[in-house]
Amino acid sequence: MAATIGIDLGTTNSCVATVEGGRPTVIPNALGERTTPSVISFTNDGERLVGTPALRRQAIAPDQTFSSVKRHMGTDWRASADGKTFSPQELSAMILRQMKKDAEAYLGQPVDKAVITVPAYFNDTQRQATKDAGRIAGLDVLRIINEPTSAALAYGLDNGTPQKVMVYDLGGGTFDVSIIEIGEGVIEVLATSGDNHLGGDDFDERLVDHLIQVFEQENHVDVRRDASALQRVREAARQAKCELSSAQSTTVNLPFLMQSGNAPLHMNVTVTRSEFERMTHDLIERTSAPVIRALDDAGIAASELGCVLLVGGSTRMPAVVEHVRSLTGREPSNSINPDECVALGAAIQANTLETANQGLAPYNEILLLDVTPLSLAIETVGGVATRVIDRNTTLPTHYSQVFTTASAFQTNVEINVLQGERPMAKDNKSLGKFKLGGIKRALAGVPQIEVTFDIDANGILTVSAKDLKTGNEQSITITDSGRMSDEEIDAAIRDAEQYAAEDAVRAKNAGAVENARRQVATVEAALSRAGKRIDRDEKKRVKASVAQVSRYLRKRPGKMTDDDIQALIAATEDLERVGAHVIEVASEDQDH
Ligand code: AMP
């Protein structure tokens, strides 16, 4: 059977897993890491780095490095890099492509099918954008599933006692809480709530503020003025935060962080766990309201919960565990790594869907009954949002309602599809508008227009309108500024594929390019060190040879043809020969 993967496309980190020999397994990346930072960086050579190498460049190339892209999913935010602009879908596709590549390297076979997870709180546009990102990455997205649902699958709760479960997911950038009902072969999400802008990043920022404040008090220098110093503090703060999850205190030690005149300034600040907990108390407290709301929406008391699952790296903080314990009166389970369980559940779901598709096993798919995170409505007379589908309706769902015209002899109606809980249309998010024309002239209130909302298992919405008198139906596409058209997706796929081809060439050429760069750097350094001990003619010959290699290096490694590489190798060999004497003289110089 073809290998399928489950991907947890996270705000801070992403994780990929597969089912191997019947067991869900996390796939490590090429660096051996079990999660990959969701960071992309564009180098001056046109290389696109993903993961830890990209994260490392954040300090030196903040303008070319992009993180927390998931926060922009489904919006018209764009990143500019490498002379182009990129949508959140395209940047996310680069992360997904990397996960696909890592999975293929690990499994030794091509992988083209995946289940991708999204926060339960994601709206339709964000879900669609995630699916588009998968397509751009060359993946057949079998299904988009909610992260908490995925976690429940990883815990194998679908095979145990029927119960209601709370999934408390505090990741790097988002907080989600869901109440799930697990029954016979059915997992139903009863209610979801959360905060799209709360996560471990906020805890990092609190610690960064504290460190900078202490440093400023001691040295009267503002670290925020120096982007790379600030980045070093950020990384150190993140590490200190993680250390404080197991230790009672930690010291942030950053030698040579900045300079004051000519004097180097070092950061050396000790932070205790209780200090850190005081700084971040309100952040943890912010998770209470969504928890209470989710329980209310599900119509249950915390005492009715069978168990509470902790998901997301930030639930490793002891204060978070304590908060959940006191909020729910339950001992939270965290036997599976909180940053891996979502990907593991997605892998299980991908495997189940693929097994069923291939008819290899009886169709025993666990039904994942997810819910609409927000209500859906259409705009009616007076700018009112008239609700068609309520928040927390189980998916898939299909609902029709008959509307009519507001003025006499109106021959068309505009349907404005809204998402949100507010009573007035303007206060909700408009997912798109469309017109149904050709309505027979009649008095107001006579024509009957049936509006149908269809939400599929992925949570993706289609709206249609039908004039019941004429049978005229308008099939519509909901356009949204954050959504990509098929043409745009195809163009992005082509771009990503071309890039992947360049990447392969670049990998093949990397050795020759690296060797040439090193040779140029060595000879140039030797020339300057040897100085006058080299006569003018020789200097000229060596410089010409350096210039020749540099000319070949001007082309991007990914764009080099075999001929270019052969020419580069020959020019480098020439430089090795021509420059050997200079290197010899320069090293003698050093010896004396
Ligand atoms: P996730 O999105 O689930 O990968 O969670 C990532 C977030 O968890 C980041 O903000 C990490 O800094 C945070 N995190 C990971 N490990 C720990 C830890 N041991 N203690 C506190 N936070 C952690």
Side-chain angles (χ1 to χ4, degrees), residues 439-478:
I439 298 172
K440 269 222 158 117
R441 291 165 63 82
L443 289 175
V446 174
Q448 290 199 300
I449 317 291
E450 186 184 60
V451 177
T452 303
F453 278 57
D454 235 314
I455 314 182
D456 70 11
N458 296 321
I460 290 166
L461 165 74
T462 319
V463 180
S464 58
K466 186 176 180 181
D467 180 349
L468 293 180
K469 173 104 179 165
T470 60
N472 180 15
E473 186 165 1
Q474 197 68 35
S475 73
I476 58 117
T477 350
I478 292 177

Side-chain angles (χ1 to χ4, degrees), residues 26 30 51 88 129 158 185 194 220 229 247 252 260 272 310 385 390 404 409 445-446 455 492 515 527 550 564:
V26 168
D158 51 309
H220 311 289
V252 174
S260 169
T272 65
L310 293 182
D390 281 331
T404 186
F409 312 124
V446 174
I455 314 182
N515 190 28
L527 264 181
S550 302
D564 291 333

Side-chain angles (χ1 to χ4, degrees), residues 339-369:
D339 30 24
E340 295 177 357
C341 68
V342 170
L344 292 170
I348 295 170
Q349 179 67 3
N351 183 262
T352 310
L353 290 173
E354 187 56 8
T355 308
N357 278 347
Q358 302 212 347
L360 291 177
Y363 192 81
N364 64 346
E365 181 193 348
I366 311 139
L367 280 172
L368 298 179
L369 300 178

Side-chain angles (χ1 to χ4, degrees), residues 18 35 171 173 211 214 219 263 331 346 362 370 380 403 408 479 549 569 574:
T18 191
T35 60
L211 295 172
V214 173
N219 302 293
E331 187 57 41
D370 285 350
T380 53
F403 292 88
T479 53
V549 176
I569 292 171
D574 187 58

